[in-house]
PDB file of all heavy atoms in Angstrom:
ATOM      1  N   ALA A   8    -122.152 -73.059 -26.162  1.00  0.00           N
ATOM      2  CA  ALA A   8    -123.357 -72.898 -26.877  1.00  0.00           C
ATOM      3  C   ALA A   8    -124.625 -73.442 -26.186  1.00  0.00           C
ATOM      4  O   ALA A   8    -125.632 -72.874 -26.231  1.00  0.00           O
ATOM      5  CB  ALA A   8    -123.150 -73.512 -28.205  1.00  0.00           C
ATOM      6  N   THR A   9    -124.488 -74.591 -25.540  1.00  0.00           N
ATOM      7  CA  THR A   9    -125.620 -75.207 -24.741  1.00  0.00           C
ATOM      8  C   THR A   9    -126.057 -74.233 -23.775  1.00  0.00           C
ATOM      9  O   THR A   9    -127.278 -73.969 -23.445  1.00  0.00           O
ATOM     10  CB  THR A   9    -125.228 -76.533 -24.198  1.00  0.00           C
ATOM     11  OG1 THR A   9    -124.803 -77.423 -25.222  1.00  0.00           O
ATOM     12  CG2 THR A   9    -126.394 -77.163 -23.461  1.00  0.00           C
ATOM     13  N   VAL A  10    -125.086 -73.684 -22.885  1.00  0.00           N
ATOM     14  CA  VAL A  10    -125.410 -72.807 -21.805  1.00  0.00           C
ATOM     15  C   VAL A  10    -126.154 -71.593 -22.389  1.00  0.00           C
ATOM     16  O   VAL A  10    -127.190 -71.088 -21.804  1.00  0.00           O
ATOM     17  CB  VAL A  10    -124.180 -72.398 -20.943  1.00  0.00           C
ATOM     18  CG1 VAL A  10    -124.539 -71.428 -19.923  1.00  0.00           C
ATOM     19  CG2 VAL A  10    -123.643 -73.702 -20.320  1.00  0.00           C
ATOM     20  N   LYS A  11    -125.588 -71.047 -23.441  1.00  0.00           N
ATOM     21  CA  LYS A  11    -126.236 -69.818 -23.995  1.00  0.00           C
ATOM     22  C   LYS A  11    -127.598 -70.034 -24.534  1.00  0.00           C
ATOM     23  O   LYS A  11    -128.558 -69.257 -24.179  1.00  0.00           O
ATOM     24  CB  LYS A  11    -125.390 -69.260 -25.201  1.00  0.00           C
ATOM     25  CG  LYS A  11    -123.994 -68.684 -24.789  1.00  0.00           C
ATOM     26  CD  LYS A  11    -123.286 -68.172 -26.045  1.00  0.00           C
ATOM     27  CE  LYS A  11    -121.949 -67.608 -25.567  1.00  0.00           C
ATOM     28  NZ  LYS A  11    -121.206 -67.048 -26.829  1.00  0.00           N
ATOM     29  N   SER A  12    -127.801 -71.201 -25.223  1.00  0.00           N
ATOM     30  CA  SER A  12    -129.158 -71.554 -25.662  1.00  0.00           C
ATOM     31  C   SER A  12    -130.120 -71.784 -24.569  1.00  0.00           C
ATOM     32  O   SER A  12    -131.278 -71.271 -24.519  1.00  0.00           O
ATOM     33  CB  SER A  12    -129.029 -72.822 -26.669  1.00  0.00           C
ATOM     34  OG  SER A  12    -130.280 -73.197 -27.052  1.00  0.00           O
ATOM     35  N   ILE A  13    -129.756 -72.614 -23.591  1.00  0.00           N
ATOM     36  CA  ILE A  13    -130.623 -72.908 -22.474  1.00  0.00           C
ATOM     37  C   ILE A  13    -130.944 -71.628 -21.704  1.00  0.00           C
ATOM     38  O   ILE A  13    -132.126 -71.386 -21.249  1.00  0.00           O
ATOM     39  CB  ILE A  13    -130.113 -73.963 -21.581  1.00  0.00           C
ATOM     40  CG1 ILE A  13    -129.973 -75.345 -22.361  1.00  0.00           C
ATOM     41  CG2 ILE A  13    -130.861 -74.169 -20.307  1.00  0.00           C
ATOM     42  CD1 ILE A  13    -129.277 -76.398 -21.579  1.00  0.00           C
ATOM     43  N   THR A  14    -129.953 -70.792 -21.473  1.00  0.00           N
ATOM     44  CA  THR A  14    -130.149 -69.527 -20.684  1.00  0.00           C
ATOM     45  C   THR A  14    -131.160 -68.639 -21.418  1.00  0.00           C
ATOM     46  O   THR A  14    -132.061 -68.109 -20.799  1.00  0.00           O
ATOM     47  CB  THR A  14    -128.854 -68.807 -20.586  1.00  0.00           C
ATOM     48  OG1 THR A  14    -127.933 -69.606 -19.876  1.00  0.00           O
ATOM     49  CG2 THR A  14    -129.006 -67.474 -19.809  1.00  0.00           C
ATOM     50  N   GLY A  15    -131.082 -68.520 -22.707  1.00  0.00           N
ATOM     51  CA  GLY A  15    -132.022 -67.734 -23.576  1.00  0.00           C
ATOM     52  C   GLY A  15    -133.381 -68.328 -23.402  1.00  0.00           C
ATOM     53  O   GLY A  15    -134.378 -67.535 -23.125  1.00  0.00           O
ATOM     54  N   ILE A  16    -133.582 -69.633 -23.504  1.00  0.00           N
ATOM     55  CA  ILE A  16    -134.840 -70.255 -23.333  1.00  0.00           C
ATOM     56  C   ILE A  16    -135.533 -70.077 -21.878  1.00  0.00           C
ATOM     57  O   ILE A  16    -136.671 -69.777 -21.745  1.00  0.00           O
ATOM     58  CB  ILE A  16    -134.875 -71.769 -23.704  1.00  0.00           C
ATOM     59  CG1 ILE A  16    -134.409 -71.842 -25.119  1.00  0.00           C
ATOM     60  CG2 ILE A  16    -136.227 -72.385 -23.436  1.00  0.00           C
ATOM     61  CD1 ILE A  16    -134.295 -73.328 -25.635  1.00  0.00           C
ATOM     62  N   VAL A  17    -134.675 -70.255 -20.922  1.00  0.00           N
ATOM     63  CA  VAL A  17    -135.023 -70.148 -19.589  1.00  0.00           C
ATOM     64  C   VAL A  17    -135.474 -68.642 -19.300  1.00  0.00           C
ATOM     65  O   VAL A  17    -136.621 -68.456 -18.662  1.00  0.00           O
ATOM     66  CB  VAL A  17    -133.994 -70.514 -18.574  1.00  0.00           C
ATOM     67  CG1 VAL A  17    -134.339 -70.104 -17.109  1.00  0.00           C
ATOM     68  CG2 VAL A  17    -133.632 -71.973 -18.628  1.00  0.00           C
ATOM     69  N   LEU A  18    -134.811 -67.703 -19.760  1.00  0.00           N
ATOM     70  CA  LEU A  18    -135.131 -66.293 -19.668  1.00  0.00           C
ATOM     71  C   LEU A  18    -136.524 -66.053 -20.373  1.00  0.00           C
ATOM     72  O   LEU A  18    -137.409 -65.279 -19.824  1.00  0.00           O
ATOM     73  CB  LEU A  18    -134.085 -65.357 -20.242  1.00  0.00           C
ATOM     74  CG  LEU A  18    -132.744 -65.360 -19.528  1.00  0.00           C
ATOM     75  CD1 LEU A  18    -131.684 -64.523 -20.175  1.00  0.00           C
ATOM     76  CD2 LEU A  18    -132.992 -64.789 -18.015  1.00  0.00           C
ATOM     77  N   LEU A  19    -136.729 -66.569 -21.490  1.00  0.00           N
ATOM     78  CA  LEU A  19    -138.024 -66.499 -22.135  1.00  0.00           C
ATOM     79  C   LEU A  19    -139.132 -67.140 -21.329  1.00  0.00           C
ATOM     80  O   LEU A  19    -140.144 -66.537 -21.301  1.00  0.00           O
ATOM     81  CB  LEU A  19    -137.915 -67.090 -23.552  1.00  0.00           C
ATOM     82  CG  LEU A  19    -137.120 -66.302 -24.582  1.00  0.00           C
ATOM     83  CD1 LEU A  19    -137.084 -67.073 -25.894  1.00  0.00           C
ATOM     84  CD2 LEU A  19    -137.731 -64.898 -24.853  1.00  0.00           C
TER      85      LEU A  19
END
Side-chain angles (χ1 to χ4, degrees):
T9 303
V10 175
K11 290 182 178 180
S12 176
I13 292 175
T14 301
I16 295 176
V17 168
L18 290 175
L19 288 175

